Each structure stands twice: as C-alpha cells, then as structure tokens.
C-alpha cells in the first residue's frame, strides 16, 4: 500500500483544521469555542488534546533517542516530564481521552520516539511529523510513506 501524492494536501488541511474542532460524531464537528467537558459527556464525545509534544527523558536521550543537538536539550526542570507514561497519567487526571503528538524540535527529523509512543499507545496517541525541507519531493513522499504505513 502506498500513499498517493494527491492525498497530501488533503491530509495536511485535515490535520490543520482538526486542531480547531473536536469531533462529536462521525458526521459533524463542534467548534472549540462551544465545547466543554460537560458538552463532551452529554454527547459522549472524546476530549482530544490537539497539540502535545513528547521527548526522551535524560537517560533515554543518552541511548536510544538522542536529542538532535546540545542546544535542543530541554531545560533540566523539563527533561523528565514529557515522556509517554507521565503524560498518560496527566491526561487521565484531566479527563483527556487522546492527543495529537506534534513532533518536538528536540528530536528534529528523527521521529522514532514519537513513532514508538504511538505504537505503544495507539488508542491514546496519534502523531504529526516534522517536515524536513532538505528532502527532495520524492524523498519527502518516501519518508512520509515510511512513517504512515509502518
């Protein structure tokens, strides 16, 4: 299975517009300004955080998931707070059902940390990649297919 080029603009627009709306059924969306936790319970909707970053802990960054460069290392007070299980605990306390993870700059174009989190918790996390402008159009499509279809 491959992702056809013509789907890219539609996929990007869908991801961008999704951040302004919360789904309440498969047929319509409620604008965020009209949304509340009470509304979500009344219509049985899921509460989705539409923009969240995760990054490797200090120990993970020295092994499997290095930061892209020393200047991309989070401040010490944030280094060990944005890993998946910690965020799942916070999401649970806040009544958040799922989240769209936006690729953090800490890992630049290495999506392995986000990809692993999505694979580990597919019912809670979905992801958005960080586009590498240095790639040719063909390499960009190949990279997108690698991430989406893996």
């Amino acid at each position: 299975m491959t992702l056809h080029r013509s789907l890219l603009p539609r996929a990007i627009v869908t991801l961008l517009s999704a951040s302004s709306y919360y789904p309440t059924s498969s047929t319509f969306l409620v604008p965020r300004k009209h949304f509340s936790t009470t509304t979500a319970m009344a219509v049985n909707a899921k509460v989705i955080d539409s923009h969240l970053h995760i990054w490797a802990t200090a120990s993970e960054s020295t092994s499997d998931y290095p930061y892209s460069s020393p200047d991309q290392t989070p401040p010490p007070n944030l280094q060990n707070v944005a890993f998946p299980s910690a965020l799942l605990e916070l999401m649970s306390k806040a009544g958040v059902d799922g989240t769209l993870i936006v690729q953090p700059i800490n890992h630049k174009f290495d999506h392995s940390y986000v990809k692993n989190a999505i694979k580990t918790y597919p019912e809670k996390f979905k992801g958005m990649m960080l586009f590498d402008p240095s790639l040719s159009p063909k390499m960009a499509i190949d990279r997108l297919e690698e991430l989406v279809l893996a």
Side-chain angles (χ1 to χ4, degrees):
M1 180 175 166
T2 59
L3 187 63
H4 193 274
R5 269 174 222 266
S6 65
L7 297 178
L8 287 178
R10 187 176 313 147
I12 291 168
V13 167
T14 301
L15 287 174
L16 292 175
S17 14
S19 66
S20 299
Y21 294 89
Y22 291 106
T24 58
S25 77
S26 58
T27 56
F28 70 93
L29 298 171
V30 174
R32 184 184 308 192
K33 65 182 179 181
H34 300 299
F35 191 85
S36 70
T37 305
T38 306
T39 305
M41 287 187 254
V43 295
N44 225 6
K46 290 187 174 188
V47 176
I48 305 297
D49 182 335
S50 62
H51 188 124
L52 180 89
H53 295 283
I54 63 171
W55 53 82
T57 63
S59 63
E60 291 172 324
S61 72
T62 61
S63 57
D64 297 330
Y65 304 104
Y67 301 130
S68 62
S69 64
D71 66 324
Q72 294 302 325
T73 301
N77 63 325
L78 296 177
Q79 274 186 350
N80 297 312
V81 298
F83 57 99
S85 58
L87 294 172
L88 286 168
E89 186 178 325
L90 291 172
M91 289 167 58
S92 177
K93 288 179 183 177
V96 175
D97 299 301
T99 188
L100 175 63
I101 299 172
V102 178
Q103 174 68 13
I105 195 64
N106 313 71
H107 297 290
K108 204 147 187 183
F109 305 117
D110 177 358
H111 295 82
S112 58
Y113 194 73
V114 172
K115 187 176 174 180
N116 184 54
I118 293 167
K119 191 174 190 176
T120 305
Y121 304 102
E123 70 287 349
K124 294 291 185 180
F125 296 144
K126 302 301 178 205
M128 183 180 291
M129 68 179 279
L130 184 62
F131 176 72
D132 183 349
S134 70
L135 297 177
S136 70
K138 178 173 180 355
M139 288 176 69
I141 296 292
D142 290 347
R143 181 67 177 137
L144 178 61
E145 287 178 347
E146 175 189 318
L147 290 167
V148 171
L149 303 175

